[in-house]
């Protein structure tokens, strides 16, 4: 079912992005893997994987567009993301919030904008924004995470990313499905101290999700639990 399909993945140089790139290639997908360093590109090179230098803070470049070409893009996985250390209000650097919004919100917008014609050429295409349960306004307002130290930058940018998912889904209704996905608590550099899920485990769950025929859009879900409240 996966053979020959094309996925574009950002933040593919490490963690979940690297694991998802490897998993999808093993499952028969073709993958254009966006990275920021030559060393990351070299580590990813294998059959069915084409690493491309693309920082999501920059306009989508010719190298990425050439790698995709005129092929239909079946899945765009906006995985690249950053946070910032948790600080009290008086110590918050506003530039950390702006940086996080640039990467976590505007980055996926740039990618979706540039690849829209290729997405529309695929049957039942899917945009996945790798989000977080911490982006849920409902859960945050209810105090579900009040005891968790999380930066303004991360919470603000992830809630804004969820709104981007909704906005894309509404504009592209019936043409491109748009989902926000919380990957679980991962044992990565951005994971919490209590993280238990490996990037490989999360990648397999996310990879299987790409096979879903679920037409609901927008959708906000967790890889290790039920759908989430916006």
């Amino acid at each position: 079912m996966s053979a020959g399909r094309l996925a574009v993945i950002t933040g593919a140089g490490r963690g979940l992005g690297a694991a998802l790139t490897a998993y999808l290639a093993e499952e028969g997908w073709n993958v254009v893997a966006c990275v920021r360093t030559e060393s990351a590109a070299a580590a990813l090179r294998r059959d069915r994987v084409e690493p491309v230098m693309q920082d999501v803070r920059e306009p989508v470049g010719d190298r990425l567009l050439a790698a995709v070409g005129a092929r239909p893009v079946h899945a765009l996985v906006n995985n690249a993301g950053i946070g910032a250390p948790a600080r009290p209000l008086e110590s918050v650097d506003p530039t950390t919030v702006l940086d996080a919004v640039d990467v976590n919100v505007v980055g996926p917008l740039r990618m979706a904008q540039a690849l829209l014609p290729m997405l529309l050429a695929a049957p039942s295409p899917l945009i996945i924004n790798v989000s977080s349960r911490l982006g849920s306004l409902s859960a945050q307002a209810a105090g579900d995470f009040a005891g968790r130290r999380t930066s303004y930058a991360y919470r603000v940018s992830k809630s804004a990313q969820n709104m981007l998912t909704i906005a894309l889904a509404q504009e592209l209704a019936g043409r491109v499905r748009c989902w926000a996905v919380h990957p679980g608590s991962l044992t990565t550099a951005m994971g919490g101290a209590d993280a238990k899920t490996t990037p490989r485990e999360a990648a397999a769950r996310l990879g299987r999700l790409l096979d879903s025929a679920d037409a609901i859009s927008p959708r906000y879900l967790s890889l290790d639990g039920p759908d989430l409240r916006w």
Side-chain angles (χ1 to χ4, degrees):
M1 185 175 179
S2 301
R5 290 194 292 175
L6 176 62
V8 176
I9 303 173
T10 67
R14 63 180 182 174
L16 177 60
L20 181 62
T21 296
Y23 177 85
L24 291 182
E26 291 166 7
E27 293 295 309
W29 285 74
N30 297 313
V31 181
V32 173
C34 300
V35 297
R36 292 191 297 148
T37 66
E38 291 290 356
S39 59
L44 284 174
R45 286 194 179 94
R46 68 194 74 190
D47 289 344
R48 296 187 174 277
V49 176
E50 184 171 356
V52 175
M53 299 289 287
Q54 176 65 57
D55 189 327
V56 300
R57 293 171 293 189
E58 302 293 335
V60 172
D62 291 341
R63 284 188 286 185
L64 174 55
L65 295 176
V68 173
R71 292 181 293 172
V73 173
H74 298 79
L76 166 60
V77 182
N78 289 308
N79 169 70
I82 62 170
R87 297 281 189 271
L89 177 60
E90 61 269 20
S91 302
V92 172
D93 180 353
T95 62
T96 64
V97 180
L98 294 173
D99 289 343
V101 169
D102 193 14
V103 173
N104 298 345
V105 186
V106 185
L109 176 64
R110 292 183 182 104
M111 295 295 296
Q113 195 173 46
L115 297 179
L116 181 58
M118 298 77 151
L119 285 161
L120 293 175
S124 193
L126 179 60
I127 293 174
I128 286 186
N129 293 325
V130 177
S131 183
S132 169
R133 60 183 177 168
L134 298 175
S136 169
L137 289 175
S138 298
Q140 292 283 8
D144 292 3
F145 308 114
R148 186 184 180 104
R149 283 180 52 80
T150 310
S151 69
Y152 277 81
Y154 194 74
R155 284 179 288 174
V156 168
S157 64
K158 285 301 180 180
S159 62
Q161 186 191 64
N162 283 352
M163 180 57 76
L164 172 67
T165 304
I166 293 171
L168 289 171
Q170 291 176 344
E171 179 175 353
L172 303 176
R175 297 184 292 164
V176 182
R177 296 170 296 156
C178 303
W179 297 351
V181 176
H182 169 60
S185 188
L186 304 184
T187 55
T188 64
M190 289 182 64
D194 59 344
K196 296 180 180 178
T197 304
T198 67
R200 176 69 183 187
E201 291 172 320
R205 294 172 187 169
L206 183 51
R208 289 192 291 270
L209 190 65
L210 297 184
D211 288 327
S212 171
D214 190 341
I216 295 175
S217 181
R219 188 180 175 195
Y220 185 21
L221 64 151
S222 173
L223 293 181
D224 58 5
D227 281 18
L228 303 172
R229 295 173 293 154
W230 295 101

